[in-house]
Amino acid sequence: MSGTFAARVTAAVKVYGSGDAEVRALDGATLGFGTGRFTAIMGPSGSGKSTLMHCAAGLDTLTFGQAYIGGTELGSLSDKKLTLLRRERVGFVFQSFNLLPTLTVAENITLPQDLAGSRPDPEWTEALIDVVGLGDRLHHRPGELSGGQQLGVPPGP
Ligand SMILES: Nc1ncnc2c1ncn2[C@@H]1O[C@H](COP(=O)(O)OP(=O)(O)OP(=O)(O)O)[C@@H](O)[C@H]1O
Ligand SMILES: [Mg+2]
């Protein structure tokens, strides 16, 4: 593969379960996500898209093969280093949102930075909140939002 990749996997195999319950969700996938590009992954339900994303982002581990973020091979990292890399270099929108129900919208938005002990830039945070139209919902809990608001979909015109 040529060019630079923000993330890539080589010969990626992911097997869930064992015996009769075994599922081979990835079976030797090699691909890269080009730096500065948008990449869409398409395929039928159950074809392994979420599995691929989770493994490429360091949220889950491959059974065989390698996953890289930039030049870093994730399998070689300790749990602590992997946690730091995820916190500092990966953003992930889950298929089901994984918002923390007891935190407010504002607290959910800044949670990764709060955990990292860094102070969110108020102007940048405000700009993001503006884009997704949640300015008047900041002190609500996720359960009080619509499905699209939970996902952070811009409200449109
Ligand atoms: N934790 C798990 N344990 C066992 N099997 C799993 C697990 N997660 C996913 N699978 C199985 O692995 C396969 C791939 O699942 P995956 O969630 O990656 O599919 P997907 O392409 O994201 O599907 P969808 O479009 O429905 O979101 C499916 O057969 C699924 O049932
Ligand atoms: Mg999925």
Side-chain angles (χ1 to χ4, degrees):
M1 289 190 286
S2 60
T4 59
F5 295 100
R8 65 191 174 96
V9 297
T10 56
V13 173
K14 178 67 178 179
V15 179
Y16 293 112
S18 60
D20 284 351
E22 180 177 305
V23 176
R24 188 168 275 254
L26 299 176
D27 192 10
T30 296
L31 70 145
F33 301 96
T35 302
R37 289 174 171 271
F38 287 97
T39 304
I41 305 172
M42 294 168 28
S45 182
S47 62
K49 304 177 299 291
S50 290
T51 302
L52 172 65
M53 295 303 299
H54 293 159
C55 292
L59 301 169
D60 199 354
T61 53
L62 291 169
T63 310
F64 302 109
Q66 290 80 38
Y68 299 83
I69 291 180
T72 308
E73 203 265 301
L74 304 184
S76 67
L77 298 179
S78 63
D79 273 356
K80 184 165 185 202
K81 285 198 167 149
L82 187 56
T83 300
L84 288 176
L85 180 138
R86 271 197 303 255
R87 187 184 288 162
E88 288 164 8
R89 296 179 59 191
V90 176
F92 202 99
V93 179
F94 290 92
Q95 188 162 358
S96 55
F97 322 125
N98 284 349
L99 296 168
L100 294 188
T102 56
L103 299 184
T104 65
V105 168
E107 288 164 345
N108 268 285
I109 289 170
T110 58
L111 182 63
Q113 286 167 303
D114 292 338
L115 288 174
S118 61
R119 188 179 291 269
D121 172 356
E123 275 182 30
W124 176 236
T125 308
E126 201 180 304
L128 292 181
I129 289 165
D130 201 39
V131 168
V132 293
L134 286 174
D136 61 351
R137 283 285 182 279
L138 289 182
H139 303 293
H140 290 66
R141 314 267 166 201
E144 298 164 331
L145 300 180
S146 72
Q149 286 172 334
Q150 289 179 42
L151 191 55
V153 177

